[in-house]
């Protein structure tokens, strides 16, 4: 799982940027948000008119992931990695969060399955000059630790204004890539490179071919595989309903599925092949794990149903 932090001051446009990113990219995302208040606003905005089949959203509303809830943040990241194991976890810190601290917290839990991508900071070019002096330390931290700086809300300004803010930002961080052109005008290759460079600047060898990262890929002949662990259901009957749905194509073109799980206190083994499936009740306790093979697999939809009774962190799943 690769982690992409998208930082920025309050109102900079982080959520709007993420919406565009999800729309433009084919990669599978989970999104960990840190709301400054207890009201869940950004997740509703994020899923409005976006491709909900490939997004999972966690909200952390009781504290800041960069400071007071370090333990909860680390636990949430590890839970997402172990329970869903998405290709990419997008972390959207609060607008008043120090990017450097968020990076430090993720660095503490990095290992071979979790890697940090080059962080992005969104800068509100329209309000930057009026807010910088008041929140100087915060702005400098978010700019200094970014590897890519995207200037938003300047599509209607002239070239001299864009040049001025670019020069100012380079004075704080001359190593970052700075984009003053509106990101919606950028080609697919620009969006792709955001996921191909780690925090230290090394090029990542993606699990998928780069041309598979975007929609309209022609390389769909190979079967996909989805493996999940630690899932659970409320009842054995629910598993049967889900397997029937799978046969009807409601989770993609699944040609093979098998695994073990606990449902309603029962230990079950299931097997699906072609147009038939079976469910067996087992006496011994099982370790919940399963595999799904097919094409155009709706991964998040499968996870939503198979994690119905999971003990993991509360998740809001948005699926087709």
């Amino acid at each position: 799982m690769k982690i992409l932090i998208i930082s920025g001051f309050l109102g900079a446009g982080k959520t709007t940027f993420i919406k565009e990113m999800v729309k433009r990219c084919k990669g599978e995302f989970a999104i960990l948000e840190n709301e400054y208040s207890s009201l869940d606003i950004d997740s509703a905005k994020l899923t409005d008119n976006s491709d909900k089949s490939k997004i999972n959203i966690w909200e952390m509303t009781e504290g800041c992931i960069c400071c007071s809830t370090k333990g909860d943040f680390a636990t949430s990241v590890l839970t997402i990695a172990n329970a869903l194991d998405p290709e990419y976890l997008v972390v959207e810190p609060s607008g008043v969060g120090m990017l450097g601290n968020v990076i430090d917290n993720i660095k503490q839990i990095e290992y071979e399955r979790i890697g940090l991508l080059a962080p992005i900071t969104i800068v509100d070019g329209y309000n930057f000059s009026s807010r910088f002096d008041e929140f100087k330390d915060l702005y400098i931290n978010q700019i200094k630790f970014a590897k890519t700086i995207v200037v938003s809300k300047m599509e209607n300004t002239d070239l001299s204004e864009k040049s001025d803010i670019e020069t100012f930002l380079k004075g704080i961080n001359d190593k970052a890539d700075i984009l003053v052109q509106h990101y919606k005008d950028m080609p697919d290759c620009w969006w792709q490179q955001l996921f191909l460079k780690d925090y230290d600047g090394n090029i990542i060898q993606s699990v998928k071919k780069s041309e598979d990262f975007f929609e309209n890929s022609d390389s769909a002949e190979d079967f996909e595989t989805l493996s999940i662990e630690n899932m659970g259901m409320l009842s054995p009957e629910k598993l049967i309903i889900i397997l029937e749905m799978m046969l009807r194509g409601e989770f993609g073109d699944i040609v093979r599925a098998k695994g073990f799980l606990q449902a309603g206190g029962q230990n079950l083994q299931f097997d699906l092949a072609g147009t038939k499936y079976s469910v067996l009740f087992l006496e011994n306790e099982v370790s919940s794990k399963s595999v799904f093979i097919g094409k155009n697999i709706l991964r998040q939809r499968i996870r939503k149903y198979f994690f119905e009774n999971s003990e993991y962190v509360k998740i809001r799943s948005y699926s087709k």
Side-chain angles (χ1 to χ4, degrees):
M1 183 179 78
K2 304 301 181 184
I3 300 176
L4 178 62
I5 307 171
I6 299 180
S7 179
F9 191 70
L10 295 168
K14 300 184 294 295
T15 302
T16 304
F17 179 86
I18 294 173
K19 282 183 65 175
E20 182 69 14
M21 179 185 69
V22 171
K23 184 173 70 173
R24 296 283 289 271
C25 303
K26 190 180 178 181
E28 181 190 4
F29 300 91
I31 298 174
L32 176 59
E33 291 187 329
N34 174 217
E35 289 277 9
Y36 187 60
S37 72
S38 61
L39 297 178
D40 172 22
I41 303 297
D42 283 349
S43 64
K45 290 167 58 180
L46 186 59
T47 55
D48 179 33
N49 297 324
S50 63
D51 186 350
K52 300 175 184 177
S53 66
K54 57 184 179 182
I55 308 175
N56 277 342
I57 300 177
W58 279 255
E59 296 99 11
M60 297 182 64
T61 59
E62 297 179 355
C64 178
I65 60 176
C66 67
C67 49
S68 63
T69 58
K70 291 180 181 179
D72 289 344
F73 175 53
T75 299
S76 294
V77 171
L78 292 172
T79 296
I80 293 169
N82 292 323
L84 294 188
D85 192 24
E87 294 173 79
Y88 304 104
L89 171 63
V90 177
V91 174
E92 181 185 349
S94 163
V96 293
M98 292 286 189
L99 176 56
N101 293 350
V102 179
I103 292 170
D104 288 342
N105 291 338
I106 293 176
K107 283 289 187 181
Q108 293 176 17
I109 58 174
E110 265 193 307
Y111 68 112
E112 64 270 13
R113 285 185 58 202
I114 296 177
L116 181 60
L117 296 172
I120 301 170
T121 290
I122 312 297
V123 172
D124 178 355
Y126 183 78
N127 294 302
F128 181 75
S129 59
S130 62
R131 290 183 170 183
F132 181 82
D133 289 337
E134 184 178 0
F135 303 99
K136 186 174 182 179
D137 291 342
L138 182 58
Y139 267 107
I140 289 178
N141 185 275
Q142 292 182 351
I143 295 168
K144 178 181 177 182
F145 285 94
K147 303 296 183 179
T148 298
I149 300 172
V150 176
V151 182
S152 65
K153 304 180 183 181
M154 293 197 73
E155 52 267 41
N156 296 321
T157 57
D158 57 36
L159 292 177
S160 63
E161 290 180 274
K162 293 179 181 178
S163 178
D164 288 345
I165 192 170
E166 182 176 11
T167 300
F168 188 88
L169 294 172
K170 282 187 176 294
I172 301 173
N173 184 351
D174 61 354
K175 295 182 179 179
D177 296 325
I178 300 176
L179 179 71
V180 293
Q181 180 181 350
H182 198 282
Y183 54 79
K184 288 187 177 180
D185 297 329
M186 299 304 291
D188 285 351
C189 60
W190 182 84
W191 292 94
Q192 179 184 7
Q193 58 86 28
L194 298 177
F195 296 89
L196 298 179
K197 187 181 294 185
D198 67 17
Y199 180 77
D200 297 317
N202 302 310
I203 300 300
I204 297 172
Q205 296 297 320
S206 178
V207 175
K208 292 187 174 185
K209 297 178 181 179
S210 60
E211 61 267 25
D212 293 341
F213 190 73
F214 293 93
E215 303 289 356
N216 303 319
S217 171
D218 294 326
S219 56
E221 293 302 318
D222 295 333
F223 284 108
E224 305 171 33
T225 300
L226 169 64
S227 300
I228 57 176
E229 299 180 85
N230 303 311
M231 61 279 188
M233 290 184 185
L234 296 177
S235 68
E237 291 78 14
K238 190 62 178 290
L239 174 60
I240 294 174
I241 293 172
I242 292 171
L243 292 174
E244 289 283 353
M245 293 169 63
M246 200 165 288
L247 289 181
R248 295 196 297 267
E250 296 186 29
F251 298 94
D253 185 11
I254 307 295
V255 297
R256 186 79 168 92
K258 58 182 179 179
F260 303 89
L261 64 100
Q262 295 182 347
Q266 300 289 327
N267 300 303
L268 305 178
Q269 176 183 352
F270 70 92
D271 195 301
L272 180 148
T275 60
K276 296 182 179 180
Y277 66 83
S278 64
V279 176
L280 300 177
F281 289 81
L282 305 176
E283 293 184 3
N284 297 327
E285 185 173 345
V286 297
S287 176
S288 296
K289 55 186 177 181
S290 60
V291 62
F292 305 86
I293 303 171
K295 296 182 180 181
N296 302 314
I297 298 176
L298 299 181
R299 296 167 179 261
Q300 303 296 7
R301 184 173 175 83
I302 290 175
R303 287 167 175 152
K304 173 185 176 180
Y305 282 89
F306 275 83
F307 283 100
E308 178 185 47
N309 197 33
S310 173
E311 295 299 325
Y312 290 105
V313 65
K314 184 180 180 182
I315 174 176
R316 293 181 57 187
S317 297
Y318 300 86
S319 302
K320 286 182 177 176

